[in-house]
Amino acid sequence: MSAKFLIDTSYFIVSMLFILGLKSMSSPVTARRGIVWAGLGMVLATMVTFAWPGMGNFALMVIALVVGGGAAWWSGKVVKMTDMPQMVAIYNGMGGGAAAAIAAVEFAKGDMHGMVVTALAALGALIGAVSFSGSCIAFAKLQGIMKKTFRLPAQNAVNVILSAITLLMGTVIVLSGHPTALLLVMFFMLALALGAIITMPIGGADMPVVISLFNAFTGLAVGFEGFVLANPALIIAGIVVGAAGSLLTQLMAKAMNRSLTNILFNPITGEAQGSGAGIIGTMKEVTALDAAAMMRYAHKVLIVPGYGMAVAQAQHKVWEMAKLLEEAGVEVKFAIHPVAGRMPGHMNVLLAEAGVPYDKIYDLEEINAEFPQADVVLVIGANDVVNPAARIDKSSPIYGMPILNADQAQNVIVIKRGKGAGYSGIENSLFYAENTHLLYGNAQQAVNEVIRNIKEISS
Ligand code: NAP
């Protein structure tokens, strides 16, 4: 059996593991298994890479693996669930940066074969560099390192002109065959600047979509560089990541009813939009005892979790409360908005971790018709995903975003700490509605208080 045959077979297995892993991640039931499959694929791909003919410095590769693997292991262990989007952003950016670095090395070697390979290298370099710098900005924003949203005076024109110049330089590189070092440095600098400048104005609710878009970019860049290196694993992994990232971007944009062009060229900036003018009513407080009694004597309670439940890590308490209500004969269902929290599937993962059975968790399309029949809707740390402005206020930046129709229930109880706005910074008329009462406090403590009161009522 030749070494080439063994390597090719291994790459085939690696590809299957990646695809199987991704497929399994599409459901919370099989997600963990999917991560193991994809991880195994990565380990096998790394091992085969060592056997790749003409592979360079073995010691350097081992050092890189140990340092990179160690850092990833540590950060994966310590990262908070709510900080996951920025971690995804920075790791994804590294992938784009690595693809751009491969192109830089190949250009520096100067032995690129043919115009097609050179063009793919340049394209991969451009997309990879944009993804790298853009993801770094996204990380800095989500981590709170960069607090302001910067928008240039003629932002969109700058984006277009800068993209055109960078593309032109890439074309010159491809046509010249042997570009000068200066041309290459300028090309990479411009590509990096482009990623940063495009991302700087984007804030608030649009950021996770942009991170996902960069994820797709990274996949594409890695795939292109795979062609340059004639490495099938890179090509397949890149295409799989590129396709998955594109689909995710599309799904998120659809769930927020925002087109990609709108997100990139007309972003919601995160600064408070919609002062709440026109909202009538007052915020009415409710005690934990009253909230407990309303739910304990209800026939049907729908629970809408949001980002606040994730921050407070209240999912275990929420499930404990739901079980108590069920024991008292109340029908309890969980209503999940596709972009509740800070990443797709955020709430499903948290509820699954707390042990909530999957048949109690309903998607927006499945549950929305049931809100008018619910005696009580308990909104726990959710805001934008239940904001009726998305349905009725044409001037609202989130107009058109599908929402959970919590406002149509008989009674609404909202757990939140104070008057804080949602991710998009928009005021929410639901909180002022006649049938809404607010239970102020940290989600975990508030639910704990409700549990204590339900137990007292039931005893
Ligand atoms: P949200 O709009 O960000 O609202 C969270 C609410 O939780 C706030 O009103 C806040 O009010 C409250 N809160 C914060 N910490 C709390 C705590 N410790 N205890 C109790 N309450 C707390 O959340 P969401 O309704 O889940 O909406 C998600 C947002 O992210 C949407 O704008 C969506 O478009 C955006 N987004 C998500 C994704 C995704 O994939 N998930 C993707 C793109 C965009 P107080 O400060 O008063 O407590």
Side-chain angles (χ1 to χ4, degrees):
M1 224 183 296
S2 72
K4 174 149 182 359
F5 177 76
L6 269 181
I7 291 177
D8 285 348
T9 312
S10 309
Y11 277 147
F12 177 73
I13 299 172
V14 166
S15 315
M16 287 302 115
L17 285 169
F18 283 156
I19 293 169
L20 209 67
L22 261 180
K23 174 81 190 78
S24 308
M25 281 181 223
S26 60
S27 150
V29 189
T30 50
R32 277 173 198 268
R33 201 184 315 150
I35 291 168
V36 174
W37 288 128
L40 278 177
M42 192 55 85
V43 171
L44 184 59
T46 312
M47 281 163 57
V48 181
T49 306
F50 279 107
W52 188 252
M55 254 307 142
N57 191 319
F58 191 77
L60 269 181
M61 282 166 64
V62 173
I63 294 173
L65 273 176
V66 171
V67 173
W73 180 272
W74 174 79
S75 55
K77 284 254 173 230
V78 299
V79 69
K80 283 195 261 159
M81 196 66 187
T82 43
D83 291 345
M84 209 57 113
Q86 50 265 51
M87 186 163 134
V88 171
I90 198 71
Y91 281 170
N92 175 45
M94 299 282 179
I102 291 175
V105 170
E106 292 304 306
F107 278 127
K109 280 194 202 158
D111 57 359
M112 210 98 68
H113 299 297
M115 199 176 270
V116 174
V117 175
T118 318
L120 288 176
L123 214 52
L126 170 60
I127 300 171
V130 166
S131 174
F132 174 68
S133 57
S135 300
C136 288
I137 299 287
F139 171 82
K141 284 187 158 200
L142 292 174
Q143 192 67 20
I145 300 168
M146 189 186 257
K147 293 214 164 58
K148 283 190 95 176
T149 292
F150 299 92
R151 196 171 170 82
L152 299 171
Q155 179 74 45
N156 291 345
V158 173
N159 289 355
V160 171
I161 291 169
L162 203 57
S163 308
I165 297 175
T166 321
L167 271 174
L168 191 73
M169 287 185 113
T171 313
V172 174
I173 288 173
V174 175
L175 294 178
S176 72
H178 292 283
T180 61
L182 181 68
L183 185 60
L184 281 174
V185 170
M186 280 175 62
F187 171 66
F188 277 97
M189 297 300 261
L190 273 181
L192 288 170
L194 182 63
I197 289 175
I198 288 177
T199 320
M200 278 194 301
I202 295 168
D206 290 331
M207 199 48 106
V209 189
V210 175
I211 291 173
S212 171
L213 179 70
F214 286 147
N215 186 20
F217 277 14
T218 290
L220 266 185
V222 168
F224 286 153
E225 300 312 332
F227 275 107
V228 176
L229 296 180
N231 183 320
L234 277 187
I235 297 173
I236 296 170
I239 290 172
V240 170
V241 171
S246 309
L247 282 174
L248 186 62
T249 310
Q250 216 187 3
L251 280 174
M252 276 203 258
K254 194 168 157 242
M256 298 165 70
N257 195 37
R258 297 196 22 87
S259 71
L260 212 50
T261 345
N262 218 331
I263 288 169
L264 290 175
F265 294 105
N266 190 18
I268 297 176
T269 60
E271 277 131 31
Q273 301 197 26
S275 58
I279 290 181
I280 40 173
T282 50
M283 289 199 187
K284 299 169 286 300
E285 198 174 344
V286 71
T287 62
L289 172 62
D290 288 341
M294 280 167 79
M295 288 191 279
R296 166 67 178 73
Y297 296 111
H299 291 293
K300 183 174 190 148
V301 171
L302 299 182
I303 300 178
V304 178
Y307 176 69
M309 184 191 80
V311 190
Q313 285 290 296
Q315 62 274 20
H316 295 275
K317 286 285 160 202
V318 172
W319 178 222
E320 189 184 335
M321 182 196 73
K323 279 189 291 189
L324 278 178
L325 291 172
E326 283 185 335
E327 278 162 25
V330 184
E331 183 191 3
V332 181
K333 289 182 177 177
F334 290 84
I336 311 291
H337 190 283
V339 293
R342 289 294 177 266
M343 57 192 165
H346 200 171
M347 296 299 122
N348 302 66
V349 171
L350 291 181
L351 295 178
E353 179 202 320
V356 179
Y358 300 118
D359 61 359
K360 295 200 186 301
I361 301 175
Y362 293 82
D363 290 340
L364 183 135
E365 296 85 23
E366 294 170 322
I367 199 84
N368 244 355
E370 293 190 30
F371 280 96
Q373 290 103 52
D375 302 294
V376 181
V377 167
L378 178 65
V379 176
I380 305 175
N383 191 336
D384 292 339
V385 300
V386 288
N387 192 338
R391 216 179 45 226
I392 50 184
D393 180 2
K394 284 199 171 143
S395 67
S396 169
I398 60 165
Y399 179 71
M401 169 169 142
I403 54 152
L404 290 165
N405 294 330
D407 56 322
Q408 294 175 352
Q410 309 297 317
N411 295 286
V412 182
I413 300 173
V414 180
I415 297 180
K416 70 201 296 284
R417 295 161 308 170
K419 297 201 187 306
Y423 197 39
S424 57
I426 303 163
E427 191 56 87
N428 192 338
S429 63
L430 173 72
F431 304 156
Y432 299 83
E434 197 47 48
N435 57 343
T436 302
H437 287 85
L438 285 111
L439 177 56
Y440 289 113
N442 175 283
Q444 193 172 144
Q445 277 133 27
V447 176
N448 211 15
E449 270 301 288
V450 172
I451 290 175
R452 199 176 57 76
N453 282 291
I454 295 177
K455 282 182 180 163
E456 266 177 30
I457 298 170
S458 304
S459 63

